[in-house]
């Protein structure tokens, strides 16, 4: 197993997450094959139940194929769940810096893909955006969450999207409350300092030309 990982070309390997329990290796292989030639596919399984853990790794023949797969396969729904596809070489844990947003007053039509397509314009999104739904009916509760890989991207998303209309509703965008905290929100000065001092922190580049942050940060030139 470890030898296989060492031999795998990490730059040509995609992480595939948020997989439904019904997804099998054959189905994921067939799906990824639409993006390019697949060299190997691995879905870690539970030793006791033999069921997969909700994620897998797909190695393509070239880095270009992997990049293409990320563009066309990310947020595609399998068994009703939008899958998350990104480069396996990005360590997800190093990207979770606390730039997590609460998005409220959502129209029932707003789903995870629409949130991703809307908010990924401001920077790198580290996890699949989540729309909170009723467990029995699957109907949206009217709010969701998105996590960015930088506070600059999260700040820009709040500045540009808070009060804007999405599916004919004015949405609310602000930093989410921290779990198990007494009303404390993400985006604190302490979190920002930790992120700035994190040697693994690089920040994915926003997809757009308007991403100059406060103080004329790089990336805003025409």
């Amino acid at each position: 197993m470890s030898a296989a990982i060492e031999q795998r070309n990490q730059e040509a390997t995609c992480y595939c997450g948020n997989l439904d329990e019904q997804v099998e290796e054959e189905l994921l292989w067939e799906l990824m094959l639409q993006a390019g030639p697949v060299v190997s596919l691995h879905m870690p399984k539970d030793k006791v139940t033999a069921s997969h853990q909700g994620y897998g790794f797909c190695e393509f023949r070239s880095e270009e194929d992997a990049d293409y797969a990320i563009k066309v396969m990310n947020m595609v729904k399998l068994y009703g769940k939008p899958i998350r596809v990104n480069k396996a070489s990005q360590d997800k844990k190093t990207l979770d810096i606390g730039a997590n947003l609460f998005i409220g007053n959502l129209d029932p039509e707003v789903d995870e893909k629409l949130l991703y397509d809307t908010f990924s314009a401001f920077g790198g999104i580290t996890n699949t955006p989540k729309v909170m739904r009723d467990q029995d009916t699957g109907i949206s509760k009217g709010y969701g969450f998105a996590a960015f890989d930088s506070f600059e991207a999260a700040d820009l998303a709040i500045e540009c999207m808070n009060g804007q209309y999405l599916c004919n509703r004015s949405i609310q965008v602000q930093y989410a409350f921290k779990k198990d905290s007494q009303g404390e929100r993400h985006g604190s000065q302490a979190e920002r300092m930790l992120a700035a001092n994190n040697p693994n922190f690089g920040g994915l580049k926003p997809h757009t030309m308007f991403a100059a942050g406060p103080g004329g940060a790089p990336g805003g030139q025409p």
Side-chain angles (χ1 to χ4, degrees), residues 19-171:
L19 301 177
D20 188 89
E21 58 186 15
Q22 300 175 74
V23 176
E24 296 179 347
E25 284 191 6
E26 291 82 2
L27 175 61
L28 194 58
W29 183 292
E30 287 294 328
L31 179 67
M32 292 298 154
L33 205 55
Q34 309 305 311
V38 174
V39 175
S40 67
L41 190 143
H42 175 61
M43 293 173 66
K45 291 184 168 61
D46 185 280
K47 291 179 181 178
V48 178
T49 65
S51 59
H52 69 74
Q53 308 289 290
Y55 66 94
F57 299 94
C58 178
E59 181 186 359
F60 289 92
R61 189 173 295 167
S62 70
E63 293 178 30
E64 290 75 20
D65 291 329
D67 291 336
Y68 182 65
I70 292 168
K71 288 180 181 176
V72 299
M73 296 301 177
N74 190 38
M75 304 303 287
V76 166
K77 286 189 177 181
L78 285 180
Y79 296 104
K81 290 178 69 173
I83 66 172
R84 181 75 173 112
V85 182
N86 61 11
K87 274 288 178 76
S89 55
Q90 291 176 353
D91 185 341
K92 291 177 67 188
K93 289 185 174 61
T94 63
L95 293 177
D96 186 12
I97 58 170
N100 305 330
L101 299 185
F102 168 87
I103 307 161
N105 200 36
L106 296 178
D107 185 273
E109 296 299 311
V110 175
D111 62 6
E112 289 81 0
K113 188 176 191 315
L114 181 56
L115 280 186
Y116 179 85
D117 290 345
T118 302
F119 284 90
S120 62
F122 303 104
I125 288 182
T126 59
N127 291 306
T128 306
K130 193 170 184 65
V131 174
M132 304 308 291
R133 301 179 183 277
D134 185 278
Q135 285 188 333
D136 298 323
T137 65
I139 295 174
S140 168
K141 292 184 177 181
Y143 66 94
F145 300 92
F148 286 94
D149 68 345
S150 75
F151 286 104
E152 289 79 8
D155 290 341
L156 192 64
I158 293 172
E159 182 184 338
C160 294
M161 292 303 299
N162 187 38
Q164 291 296 322
Y165 283 81
L166 196 61
C167 288
N168 298 318
R169 272 199 193 178
S170 175
I171 63 172

Side-chain angles (χ1 to χ4, degrees), residues 140-211:
S140 168
K141 292 184 177 181
Y143 66 94
F145 300 92
F148 286 94
D149 68 345
S150 75
F151 286 104
E152 289 79 8
D155 290 341
L156 192 64
I158 293 172
E159 182 184 338
C160 294
M161 292 303 299
N162 187 38
Q164 291 296 322
Y165 283 81
L166 196 61
C167 288
N168 298 318
R169 272 199 193 178
S170 175
I171 63 172
Q172 178 188 14
V173 184
Q174 60 187 353
Y175 278 103
F177 286 113
K178 293 182 180 181
K179 287 182 179 177
D180 306 320
S181 73
Q182 299 297 317
E184 186 183 358
R185 292 187 186 275
H186 284 289
S188 67
Q189 199 60 40
E191 278 186 327
R192 291 168 187 267
M193 287 178 66
L194 284 172
N197 293 323
N198 185 344
N200 295 310
F201 171 66
L204 305 175
K205 297 298 180 194
H207 305 227
T208 56
M209 305 294 274
F210 58 81

